[in-house]
Amino acid sequence: TDRGATTTQSITATNFFCGTDGYTLGGTPAGGARILVSNGMAFTGSNSAALFTIATNGSVTAVGDVTAFSDARLKEDVKTLDGSKVYEMRGVSYTKDGREGSGVIAQELMEVAPELVNEDGEYLSVAYGNLVGYLIEAVKELKAEVEELKRG
C-alpha cells in the first residue's frame, strides 16, 4: 500500500505492514484496533483516535487506565508489606535529557525494595506502580499513630 512517501508491504498472516523507510510499521491485530509506528508508536481504535502512544522521546500516553494483572488467583505466598520501608525511600526531582522530572533513584530503591527495580538492559528501571503497596501500608501505619495520639 502507498501511504504518501512511505511504501508499505502487507503480510497477510499477521496483517502487519512494514515501511521501506525503516521507521514506519503498522497493522490491524484482533479486535479491530490499528497499530501505526512512525518515528514513535500509536495504537488507535477503529475511529483512528489515538488510544496509546509511545513518542520518540520515550514518553508513553494512554487515554485509559494502564493496568497489570493483580488477581489473587495468580499469586502465591502473599504477605503484607512493611510500610515503614517508605521512610527509607527518597523522592527526588531531577533533569534528564533537558526535561524536568520527579521520581526515585533506582540504585537507592534497590537497597530498600529490590523487587521494584528491573535490571534488564544497560540501565536500571523502576516499577513505579508497584510502589503503591508500600504507600498504602505506610498510610495505614500513620493513621494508627494519629488515632493513638488522639486517644492519648
Side-chain angles (χ1 to χ4, degrees):
T1 306
D2 185 2
R3 298 189 182 268
T6 302
T7 303
T8 59
Q9 187 175 31
S10 293
I11 302 169
T12 307
T14 59
N15 197 21
F16 208 79
F17 60 83
C18 180
T20 57
D21 61 1
Y23 294 100
T24 305
L25 358 140
T28 307
R34 186 172 56 100
I35 300 173
L36 175 63
V37 181
S38 181
N39 291 331
M41 185 179 296
F43 295 82
T44 62
S46 56
N47 66 356
S48 295
L51 301 174
F52 182 84
T53 60
I54 302 172
T56 56
N57 67 2
S59 295
V60 177
T61 305
V63 296
D65 296 331
V66 177
T67 64
F69 288 114
S70 192
D71 193 303
R73 296 172 292 179
L74 300 172
K75 300 176 181 186
E76 298 175 4
D77 196 27
V78 175
K79 298 177 183 139
T80 301
L81 292 170
D82 178 1
S84 68
K85 285 189 174 187
V86 167
Y87 308 122
E88 300 172 48
M89 297 177 187
R90 181 172 74 115
V92 299
S93 63
Y94 56 84
T95 302
K96 178 182 171 283
D97 299 328
R99 295 182 62 191
E100 300 280 321
S102 61
V104 296
I105 303 298
Q107 287 85 345
E108 294 176 6
L109 191 61
M110 189 177 279
E111 299 296 318
V112 180
E115 76 279 8
L116 299 178
V117 180
N118 184 333
E119 297 184 73
D120 293 343
E122 181 180 354
Y123 299 104
L124 301 177
S125 61
V126 172
Y128 278 97
N130 296 352
L131 278 166
V132 171
Y134 283 102
L135 298 174
I136 289 169
E137 293 307 314
V139 168
K140 288 167 39 179
E141 288 177 14
L142 288 172
K143 183 179 186 241
E145 288 180 31
V146 168
E147 294 299 322
E148 186 177 321
L149 288 170
K150 283 181 179 178
R151 286 191 298 269

